[in-house]
Structures are given as structure tokens and as C-alpha cells.
């Protein structure tokens, strides 16, 4: 199992464990983590799974794609260099302990 910490906009942390291959969005939705909506189910057709990868994890989660960039233009909260669509981050053992921060709003 891979541990992920979601840090809400107010600083509240939720720690969950998910199986390898699960996306950061799916892991949040199936564990009722507030702050990730995942309206399109992970097909990169919304931006309601927006998250900010913690600085310490940026190198391991990789860069966002051009398609992600485009979709993030519709995000409800500010997009920064650490913004990602969490449905596009698949959990693998190298991401055990991953920390992501959640935007103020998703819709
Ligand atoms: Fe819609 Fe990620 S869930 S883009």
C-alpha cells in the first residue's frame, strides 16, 4: 500500500493508503477526502482534481503534460508551477509518503 497525505487549504491533513496503480484522485475520492472532486472520473475532461504537489515530491511526480496544462486553464483556483491534475498521478512505490496540497476550491 502507498501512503498519501492530502493537506486541505485550511491545513487539515488526511492520510490514506492506496494500492499501486491507483491515481491520487481515485485514492482521494474512494477515501472521501474533501477537496478533490474528480468530476470526469479521471479522463482529463475537468479540472476538479487539481492539486499542488508538495515541493519535496515534485521531482518524483514528474512534469505535467501539455494536455494537463490546457485543462488546468479551467481550474477554479490559482494554478502554480506545482499544479497537477491528480488523476494523472499514478501511485507507485516511489511515491510512498507523497504529500499533495489541495486548492481552496475546485468548482
Ligand atoms: Fe477530471 Fe482529473 S478527474 S481531469
Amino acid at each position: 500500500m502507498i501512503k498519501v497525505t492530502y493537506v486541505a487549504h485550511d491545513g487539515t491533513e488526511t492520510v490514506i493508503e492506496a494500492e499501486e496503480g491507483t491515481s491520487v484522485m481515485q485514492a482521494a475520492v474512494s477515501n472521501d477526502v474533501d477537496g478533490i472532486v474528480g468530476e470526469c472520473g479521471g479522463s482529463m475532461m475537468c479540472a476538479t482534481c487539481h492539486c499542488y504537489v508538495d515541493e519535496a515530491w515534485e521531482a518524483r511526480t514528474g512534469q505535467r503534460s501539455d494536455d494537463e496544462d490546457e485543462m488546468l486553464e479551467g481550474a477554479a483556483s490559482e494554478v502554480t508551477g506545482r499544479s497537477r491534475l491528480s488523476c494523472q498521478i499514478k501511485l507507485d512505490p516511489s511515491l510512498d509518503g507523497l504529500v499533495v496540497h489541495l486548492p481552496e476550491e475546485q468548482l
Side-chain angles (χ1 to χ4, degrees):
M1 296 294 266
I2 295 157
K3 192 172 109 178
V4 184
T5 300
Y6 298 86
V7 184
H9 192 70
D10 68 1
T12 308
E13 294 188 3
T14 306
V15 182
I16 60 101
E17 291 202 342
E19 280 181 34
E20 184 174 351
T22 307
S23 74
V24 173
M25 177 279 284
Q26 288 168 326
V29 170
S30 54
N31 286 281
D32 295 322
V33 176
D34 278 340
I36 295 274
V37 179
E39 206 167 58
C40 76
S43 52
M44 254 210 294
M45 297 297 287
C46 71
T48 64
C49 64
H50 181 197
C51 72
Y52 306 104
V53 174
D54 190 86
E55 249 174 332
W57 290 90
E58 264 186 290
R60 270 176 276 185
T61 52
Q63 299 285 318
R64 61 186 183 233
S65 66
D66 291 346
D67 288 344
E68 264 184 88
D69 248 346
E70 217 168 282
M71 200 45 66
L72 279 165
E73 285 174 18
S77 293
E78 184 193 6
V79 174
T80 73
R82 293 190 286 118
S83 290
R84 292 292 308 269
L85 293 175
S86 60
C87 66
Q88 300 304 304
I89 305 173
K90 297 280 187 273
L91 294 171
D92 66 37
S94 74
L95 294 178
D96 189 24
L98 176 69
V99 178
V100 296
H101 300 262
L102 304 179
E104 189 168 10
E105 51 187 0
Q106 292 283 19
L107 296 168

